[in-house]
Amino acid sequence: MDVPILTIDGPSGAGKGTVSRLIAQQLGWHYLDSGAIYRALAIAITEKQVPLDDIAAIVDTAEAMNLIFECDATRHITLDGHDITQSIGLESTGNIASKIAAIPEIRAELLHKQQCYKELPGLVADGRDMGTVVFPHAQYKVFLTASALTCAKRRYKQLKEKGIDANLSKITADIQERDQRDSEREFSPLIPAKEAICIDSSDLSIEQVVESVLGLLHA
Ligand code: C5P
């Protein structure tokens, strides 16, 4: 039986994570946070002190990494037995993730790991290239955007809520740099899939975005 897939792509801070999680919960579908996979790899290579230009060693690290997302209320994430729940959300982790994400060999290595999340009764996949590369045959595709200021403010709030020290102007600069790198890279750039429905979430609440995406599924 064909597994229904909803892809939600977009820049940092557009609200993809929260919206995707809520929709997956409501539908009882699985959830793939593909950014967390790139972030976990960033942590793994930082810990092993692998230089960013040693592509073979990064690919080996990606292949060997054992990443577990707890599905309970704690939503803990462990990488090779270590709890990385806190460090995975740091902007510094996101920046390294974005640098290694531009390397085609690394994307190829992580492709299969992401595709393994496709399971019944359905999957909500959140990232940058879910609808274009990882699940090009997904039945439902959304491209979620928001103004740069909204994205930065949301990211700031998220970090503060997690108890992570944050500075709004630094976050604004960091996510602009990261989005530019993600959008301009040669392989799997951040662009809407042809069939994607674009939603600008700047003036919408999370509930309104969830409602319009669910409306798309039911249409
Ligand atoms: O979504 P998140 O901010 O956690 O992603 C961190 C970085 O991982 C992004 O800036 C992007 O460079 C990379 N990424 C990617 N493709 C994905 C998901 C994330 O290149 N599908």
Side-chain angles (χ1 to χ4, degrees):
M1 188 185 162
D2 216 13
V3 178
I5 302 180
L6 162 66
T7 60
I8 305 191
D9 290 306
S12 330
K16 302 184 305 292
T18 314
V19 167
S20 303
R21 240 178 246 115
L22 285 170
I23 293 177
Q25 255 169 25
Q26 290 199 20
L27 296 173
W29 286 9
H30 299 277
Y31 168 56
L32 165 62
D33 177 0
S34 61
I37 299 181
Y38 286 92
R39 284 171 179 265
L41 180 57
I43 294 173
I45 60 161
T46 305
E47 277 174 6
K48 286 172 69 182
Q49 300 189 339
V50 176
L52 290 183
D53 58 359
D54 190 347
I55 297 173
I58 302 176
V59 170
D60 286 348
T61 308
E63 197 183 356
M65 94 182 156
N66 179 18
L67 187 59
I68 299 170
F69 297 94
E70 299 291 350
C71 295
D72 59 13
T74 66
R75 296 214 324 254
H76 275 194
I77 306 172
T78 56
L79 170 66
D80 301 329
H82 300 287
D83 190 329
I84 57 162
T85 316
Q86 194 75 358
S87 53
I88 202 162
L90 297 173
E91 274 309 302
S92 52
T93 306
N95 282 335
I96 300 173
S98 159
K99 286 181 185 152
I100 56 179
I103 304 170
E105 290 87 340
I106 291 164
R107 301 200 72 85
E109 177 58 41
L110 294 180
L111 182 66
H112 181 64
K113 276 193 198 295
Q114 297 169 78
Q115 289 171 334
C116 286
Y117 282 79
K118 176 179 164 181
E119 258 189 89
L120 285 169
L123 175 69
V124 181
D126 137 20
R128 304 292 186 290
D129 61 341
M130 297 294 101
T132 50
V133 176
V134 181
F135 301 111
H137 303 299
Q139 296 85 335
Y140 314 102
K141 299 184 184 183
V142 168
F143 195 79
L144 194 59
T145 58
S147 70
L149 184 63
T150 308
C151 290
K153 283 185 175 165
R154 284 183 186 155
R155 188 60 113 190
Y156 176 79
K157 191 162 166 269
Q158 258 173 17
L159 292 174
K160 284 284 188 192
E161 279 167 3
K162 287 184 185 165
I164 298 173
D165 197 26
N167 168 302
L168 185 59
S169 52
K170 168 119 179 48
I171 290 179
T172 310
D174 277 356
I175 65 175
Q176 269 173 359
E177 185 191 327
R178 192 144 65 84
D179 287 338
Q180 188 174 2
R181 190 185 302 117
D182 291 347
S183 306
E184 292 177 357
R185 69 187 174 209
E186 190 179 348
F187 303 96
S188 305
L190 167 65
I191 43 163
K194 272 202 302 290
E195 328 76 288
I197 305 288
C198 293
I199 301 177
D200 183 337
S201 70
S202 307
D203 299 319
L204 300 176
S205 66
I206 294 290
E207 293 73 25
Q208 286 172 318
V209 180
V210 168
E211 211 173 291
S212 50
V213 176
L214 286 174
L216 172 79
L217 262 76
H218 294 135

